[in-house]
Amino acid sequence: MDASNYRRVPVGVVAPRDAEDVAAALAVCAAAGVPVVPRGGGTSIAGQATGVGVVLDLTRHMNALVSLDPAARTAVVQPGLVLDRLRDAARPHGLTFGPDPSTHSRCTLGGMIGNNACGAHSVAWGTTADNVAELAVTAYGGSSHRLGTGWRGAPDGLRELVSQNLAVLRTGMAGGAADGFARRISGYGDLDALLPERGTRVARAFCGSEGTLGVVTEAVVRLVELPAAPALAVLGYADESAAAQAAAGLLGYGPLTVEGMAADLVGGAAGLPRGGAWLFVEMRDEGAARALLRASDAVDGLLLTDPAAQRALWRIREDAAGTATRMPDGTMAWPGWEDCAVPPARLGAYLPEFRALLAEHGLRGSPYGHFGEGCVHVRIDFDLVTAPGVARFRAFSSDLADLVVAHGGSLSGEHGDGQARAELLPRMYGPSVIGLFEAYKRVWDPAGGMNPGILVRPARLDENLRFASLPPALPFAGEVARCVGVAKCRSTEVGGPGVMCPSYRATGEERHSTRGRARLLHEMLAGEIVTGGWRSAEVAEALDLCLGCKGCRSDCPVGVDMAAYKAEFLHHRWAGRLRPLSHYALGGLPGWLRLIAGLRLARPLNLVSRFLRIPGLERSRPLPRLARTPFTRGWRLVRRSAGGGPLPALPPFPGATPRTPWGSAPDPAPQTPARLDMADAGENPAPPAFEERGSGGWPPGTAPHPAKGPGGARGTVEGRVGDSAPQGTPGPGSGAVVTVWPDTFTEYLAPEAGHAAVRVLRAAGLEPRVQTGRVCCGLTYISTGRLDTARRVLRRTLDAVGDPQGPLTVLEPSCAAALRTDLPALLPEDPRAPRLAAAVRTFAETLEEYAPHWQPPRLDRPVAGQTHCHQHAVLGDAADRRLRERAGLTGELSGGCCGLAGNFGFEPGHHEVSVACAEEQLLPSLRAAAPGTEVLADGFSCRTQIAQLAGGRARHLAEVLAEGLPEGPPDGLPDGWPEPDVGRM
């Protein structure tokens, strides 16, 4: 499968290392009569990157930038090179490669040549064919060709074919690039480049052949000048038709892009000007953009010159290929008519007729795309499973092809025809042109071994649909089908807040990407190739390196949640069987720690753990040192020390980790961190080494969001910021009661974070209390696939909590994420679950929402560290950022995943990947941190990874703020402070 609706099963995959390997593979396949399909990033959306023979994976080894000549503005590339790697290399020279599909972070140059890809900037810089100078090609059978301009290197018979068909090329293929319509990509759309008056450009004619003629092994591509300071004008129009009609009129101003989208796709996006549809027009500089704004007839406009602000809006457009896959009611929409194009002057008339045709067939879709070139992207809610639905898909396709041709357009405007549209090419071209296409294919591939069924003698557009093997009634099928293959998970870009997909970046293997795992789960459910069902070794091996980071839940444009899928798989795989030891040791961590605390065994176990390791866990990882006095018991001791009455003051919490400026004093033994317990007044504390980890949100539509407070999976409350109160003193807060949640890590491993949080909440004028009863978010059970146990634990938690009265402040991000998403997903029938989920707040959210006027202590120091991946994916960190800013904590925390990921880093066989993930952003940022930098990490895993790999200490934000408070608040704890029932904890 690729990113299309189609599935063809190959006989095998070959990853050639060089052109000689390609030639050898093609020779062997030709001798055996086995078809060959070249493949890049697999982001094709028409089915041309699927095949029944041998698939050549050109991304594994043939991915080099061979050379770059800034003076000549050319580069020599191998076919598996990802576009962004070429652009990164060209940028320091003020150059770039002009075509830029939205998949630029993972699409390859070979795939772009095969599809004649375009992208947003083609209005200025042309298609891929416009930017290719030479191609090295190997044909089926192993012969090699060097193509450029002129007949040199061309296959035998091509020159004669052209000379015999000059009239067909001149008349039958009129209306293409030579006539001003650059987006005629369908068929061999640049075949008329072989005409003598067009320069006999053989390399150009090869572009867009979709792997049906030969395999590109090297290319010389042209580069273009990168504008020094481009500006983005966003123009708002009353509706889509008005925007479409305006697009062609803007071309005379020399835009770099003219991208269009309407409210039904991006209407809720922040930062857009007024209107019901928008054009994103990038200009070479601010002056040109201002001139465009003045000349436009838009109802509203916005000018952006800041690169970061431009990127934020461009992401709306780039993610549209994924966001368009969901209708407002949550149903899926599919490709198939993703990129047909009409001349730009016809777009305003075409779009209303297109929408009318959708309505006529009872279908829905949200058009968007390259309005400046008349190219329209759309995903449509086809029913591709039932026989009537497939029949409607076919009927609509036929009618739409006629509509596009009636407007002088092309069935494909940049992604190729593949299997989705090649059957309909006779409606666009006459019989003489179709015959010429077949003859052109025979010249290059007389045996017909290159990507058969595509372009020439094509398969039916309703054959080989991938849904045929995955009936929707099959349990879990809907979740697996959610992945549409856009492959954002294959991006190797490092930096920024994104997380997905750390295991793919560490291994470079498709099976370790979110898409690869989803495809394996698809095949497992289909049962045709992967026949082991839930006990499949292939699927288990691929999921084993899934960190459960949940990055895909937020970073994947369609919200695939592979952590949840892994939990479901493990649940079925080990049902009724003896599980791995780690599932009992790590999955049952809350129970083990509660037992140890109840028996007062923390001190002897800390001693023993220095010499022994628990079977089934990674031996290179030191075990965590347990707090001798759990968080809730410590508060009871503090309460009793005051004789049962209100405390006169709350001093700095026992066990607090004193600040050691980063870089000032290395930890003497970073691999064996010590633990300062309540009674260990003389020890120097360091972070322990363990965190529970889970799967987060569950399959579709089951995670409610609170009406008050955090509004979405990544949202936070917009709190008012007051600055009139003295630093570190209570502001005019509501005095609201807030309940601190004793999560497993705060309770048994890091009570100092809990004590610090209570102290800060009190200083902010709130009344913190500690949740009583035997409560747990269930994450360790979920992450190890013990879902029945997780449900029992969560029901018991609901019994203990009842209806929350006020916010539940959860200090551990993974636990907060589990309560907000996993709880209602696992117990969808329990009305108490969404109510508890709606009450969950992070530490920063609590302060922002319930003490909006409180001014934190001013600390004025730089920070480094790690944003917890579950916080990024589920909770969002906007409130944390604002709180740090108000406290004078400057700088950014690392994105990505720290790599420990709770139980993942403690399981055998994961250490290498765990360290590789930390080396992406976290460890380099710590090495680069200036002395005196405060290292922050709210997640226990993150603090542990930092301690073990960087040899330094990280702290929870609550600890850092508490350190800046005076010795104690002016009055004691509120009278009636609840004493946790330790016997039930």
Side-chain angles (χ1 to χ4, degrees):
M1 290 182 279
D2 49 15
S4 72
N5 299 325
Y6 299 97
R7 171 180 176 265
R8 294 192 291 174
V9 180
V11 298
V13 177
V14 173
R17 293 184 177 275
D18 51 32
E20 291 182 1
D21 279 358
V22 172
L26 289 169
V28 169
C29 289
V34 176
V36 173
V37 179
R39 179 174 168 120
T43 57
S44 296
I45 59 174
Q48 61 266 51
T50 68
V52 296
V54 168
V55 171
L56 295 183
D57 180 0
L58 299 167
T59 66
R60 291 295 301 276
H61 305 296
M62 296 183 67
N63 54 17
L65 171 59
V66 179
S67 64
L68 192 152
D69 187 340
R73 294 187 179 179
T74 61
V76 181
V77 301
Q78 291 186 323
L81 179 68
V82 170
L83 172 59
D84 270 0
R85 303 290 77 76
L86 172 60
R87 299 203 305 176
D88 290 344
R91 190 174 296 113
H93 305 286
L95 302 173
T96 192
F97 187 67
D100 59 340
S102 62
T103 55
H104 53 82
S105 65
R106 61 269 192 198
C107 69
T108 64
L109 271 297
M112 293 178 67
I113 292 167
N115 291 342
N116 195 7
C118 304
H121 286 87
S122 63
V123 69
W125 296 327
T127 69
T128 298
D130 292 318
N131 292 277
V132 167
E134 297 179 23
L135 295 174
V137 173
T138 304
Y140 192 65
S143 61
S144 297
H145 305 267
R146 189 81 185 187
L147 311 178
T149 300
W151 296 112
R152 182 178 177 181
D156 294 340
L158 181 58
R159 185 172 188 173
E160 291 76 11
L161 177 69
V162 170
S163 64
Q164 294 165 9
N165 290 274
L166 292 174
V168 175
L169 288 170
R170 287 170 177 146
T171 60
M173 297 196 69
D179 300 302
F181 179 39
R183 289 302 185 108
R184 189 191 65 189
I185 304 296
S186 277
Y188 296 117
D190 268 313
L191 192 56
D192 55 346
L194 297 175
L195 286 167
E197 60 265 32
R198 294 197 59 195
T200 314
R201 291 176 287 178
V202 180
R204 183 187 180 99
F206 189 93
C207 294
S209 56
E210 302 184 30
T212 61
L213 305 180
V215 180
V216 173
T217 58
E218 191 174 88
V220 179
V221 297
R222 302 185 186 94
L223 304 175
V224 297
E225 183 180 357
L226 191 65
L232 178 63
V234 183
L235 307 177
Y237 293 87
D239 54 35
E240 179 182 77
S241 293
Q245 291 168 0
L250 301 177
L251 299 180
Y253 293 90
L256 302 179
T257 70
V258 185
E259 298 291 288
M261 58 206 80
D264 55 355
L265 182 68
V266 298
L272 294 174
R274 290 182 299 109
W278 299 270
L279 294 178
F280 283 34
V281 186
E282 186 177 82
M283 303 297 289
R284 290 187 176 274
D285 54 44
E286 182 178 351
R290 291 191 180 279
L292 180 81
L293 280 171
R294 288 192 297 269
S296 74
D297 59 353
V299 298
D300 196 9
L302 177 68
L303 177 63
L304 297 172
T305 57
D306 177 59
Q310 292 183 49
R311 284 194 298 270
L313 283 187
W314 273 122
R315 182 173 177 178
I316 298 173
R317 166 63 184 88
E318 292 180 356
D319 283 351
T323 55
T325 63
R326 285 274 166 182
M327 294 288 103
D329 61 2
T331 56
M332 291 292 291
W334 308 102
W337 284 96
E338 178 72 19
D339 63 318
C340 49
V342 299
R346 299 291 308 159
L347 185 62
Y350 165 78
L351 280 176
E353 293 183 46
F354 169 75
R355 287 201 181 255
L357 186 63
L358 282 175
E360 178 184 331
H361 286 268
L363 298 169
R364 295 174 297 167
S366 299
Y368 65 98
H370 314 298
F371 280 21
E373 291 198 297
C375 182
V376 177
H377 296 313
V378 65
R379 301 253 170 163
I380 302 172
D381 64 337
F382 296 118
D383 168 10
L384 298 175
V385 177
T386 68
V390 173
R392 181 165 57 171
F393 166 60
R394 182 173 186 84
F396 173 82
S397 298
S398 177
D399 289 348
L400 182 56
D402 290 340
L403 177 63
V404 170
V405 171
H407 282 274
S410 175
L411 305 186
S412 171
E414 71 174 331
H415 293 314
D417 298 303
Q419 189 180 333
R421 292 178 289 271
E423 182 189 356
L424 299 172
L425 285 174
R427 302 194 178 214
M428 178 178 168
Y429 297 108
S432 59
V433 174
I434 297 298
L436 180 58
F437 286 171
E438 293 177 354
Y440 181 53
K441 160 84 168 173
R442 283 195 299 271
V443 167
W444 273 103
D445 180 25
M450 292 302 304
N451 210 1
I454 303 299
L455 291 186
V456 171
R457 297 180 294 278
R460 288 169 53 94
L461 61 85
D462 52 359
E463 287 183 290
N464 304 318
L465 291 171
R466 66 184 177 97
F467 310 95
S469 63
L470 198 65
L474 201 63
F476 203 51
E479 287 74 25
V480 171
R482 178 190 286 258
C483 175
V484 296
V486 295
K488 190 175 180 182
C489 51
R490 281 179 56 100
S491 172
T492 58
E493 182 180 0
V494 175
V499 174
M500 180 181 71
C501 173
S503 57
Y504 173 75
R505 291 194 297 272
T507 67
E509 296 187 26
E510 170 80 11
R511 62 177 175 160
H512 293 141
S513 69
T514 305
R515 181 180 72 174
R517 292 175 176 126
R519 297 311 196 209
L520 278 169
L521 286 166
H522 178 116
E523 297 301 336
M524 179 197 79
L525 294 176
E528 298 175 9
I529 303 169
V530 177
T531 57
W534 294 105
R535 298 189 180 182
S536 160
E538 300 96 326
V539 179
E541 186 178 358
L543 287 172
D544 180 58
L545 289 185
C546 172
L547 284 81
C549 68
K550 297 180 68 60
C552 47
R553 189 179 189 275
S554 61
D555 297 346
C556 171
V558 297
V560 168
D561 189 348
M562 192 53 60
Y565 301 176
K566 178 179 180 178
E568 186 76 18
F569 174 80
L570 293 175
H571 169 68
H572 289 281
R573 177 175 175 80
W574 296 107
R577 303 170 63 199
L578 189 65
R579 288 172 168 268
L581 287 175
S582 63
H583 287 201
Y584 299 107
L586 304 177
L589 183 70
W592 292 118
L593 294 182
R594 177 173 174 270
L595 177 63
I596 292 167
L599 297 175
R600 307 295 203 272
L601 294 177
R603 173 168 279 188
L605 286 178
N606 285 339
L607 179 63
V608 171
S609 68
R610 297 180 182 181
F611 309 102
L612 299 178
R613 291 290 183 265
I614 297 177
L617 302 187
E618 173 62 47
R619 298 187 61 83
S620 63
R621 287 276 185 189
L623 294 175
R625 294 183 61 82
L626 310 177
R628 285 174 51 204
T629 306
F631 167 51
T632 51
R633 189 189 301 162
W635 276 109
R636 191 169 80 169
L637 293 175
V638 172
R639 164 77 169 158
R640 286 177 177 172
S641 71
L647 299 180
L650 181 61
F653 48 89
T657 304
R659 178 172 183 255
T660 302
W662 190 259
S664 62
D667 193 312
Q671 292 300 313
T672 56
R675 169 95 250 139
L676 180 61
D677 299 323
M678 292 285 294
D680 294 338
E683 288 190 30
N684 184 29
F690 193 82
E691 178 191 12
E692 132 186 52
R693 180 51 146 230
S695 64
W698 221 246
T702 59
H705 303 302
K708 179 183 180 183
R714 303 183 62 189
T716 56
V717 178
E718 291 292 339
R720 294 167 294 162
V721 178
D723 56 5
S724 58
Q727 294 183 10
T729 62
S734 64
V737 173
V738 297
T739 302
V740 178
W741 187 268
D743 63 81
T744 295
F745 310 103
T746 302
E747 175 72 357
Y748 300 111
L749 296 166
E752 62 270 19
H755 296 306
V758 171
R759 185 161 181 247
V760 172
L761 293 172
R762 289 192 63 226
L766 303 175
E767 295 185 24
R769 301 184 179 182
V770 178
Q771 176 62 49
T772 61
R774 191 173 171 185
V775 295
C776 179
C777 67
L779 258 177
T780 59
Y781 304 104
I782 296 169
S783 63
T784 51
R786 299 170 64 182
L787 299 186
D788 290 336
T789 302
R791 291 185 180 96
R792 289 196 299 271
V793 168
L794 290 171
R795 289 191 186 98
R796 185 180 66 210
T797 295
L798 291 174
D799 292 340
V801 174
D803 281 330
Q805 302 300 313
L808 297 176
T809 302
V810 186
L811 302 178
E812 172 58 44
S814 60
C815 297
L819 289 170
R820 194 175 282 180
T821 57
D822 291 341
L823 168 61
L826 283 171
L827 301 178
E829 304 302 323
D830 194 322
R832 300 173 299 173
R835 291 198 292 269
L836 191 151
V840 170
R841 301 290 187 273
T842 66
F843 173 69
E845 287 171 349
T846 301
L847 289 170
E848 186 169 80
E849 183 173 353
Y850 293 93
H853 296 290
W854 179 67
Q855 177 65 32
R858 189 77 186 178
L859 303 174
D860 292 323
R861 66 185 70 145
V863 298
Q866 179 75 52
T867 298
H868 196 291
C869 48
H870 283 201
Q871 179 148 8
H872 164 81
V874 176
L875 308 166
D877 68 341
D880 297 74
R881 289 172 177 270
R882 289 189 287 267
L883 180 57
R884 294 199 302 266
E885 181 180 0
R886 292 168 63 195
L889 298 171
T890 59
E892 293 291 326
L893 305 188
S894 296
C897 180
C898 75
L900 187 57
N903 55 293
F904 178 85
F906 281 87
E907 292 174 338
H910 295 169
H911 187 70
E912 184 177 349
V913 170
S914 175
V915 174
C917 292
E919 285 289 357
E920 278 194 343
Q921 295 190 56
L922 175 59
L923 295 182
S925 73
L926 296 180
R927 295 187 194 110
T933 297
E934 182 70 60
V935 181
L936 294 174
D938 282 1
F940 189 78
S941 277
C942 309
R943 296 198 297 270
T944 298
Q945 188 81 316
I946 290 169
Q948 294 192 356
L949 299 185
R953 300 188 182 99
R955 297 192 291 174
H956 195 287
L957 179 59
E959 297 180 74
V960 177
L961 293 179
E963 183 181 69
L965 296 175
E967 282 299 301
D971 53 6
L973 290 173
D975 200 11
W977 178 274
E979 294 185 17
D981 186 346
V982 179
R984 294 179 57 199
M985 286 300 293

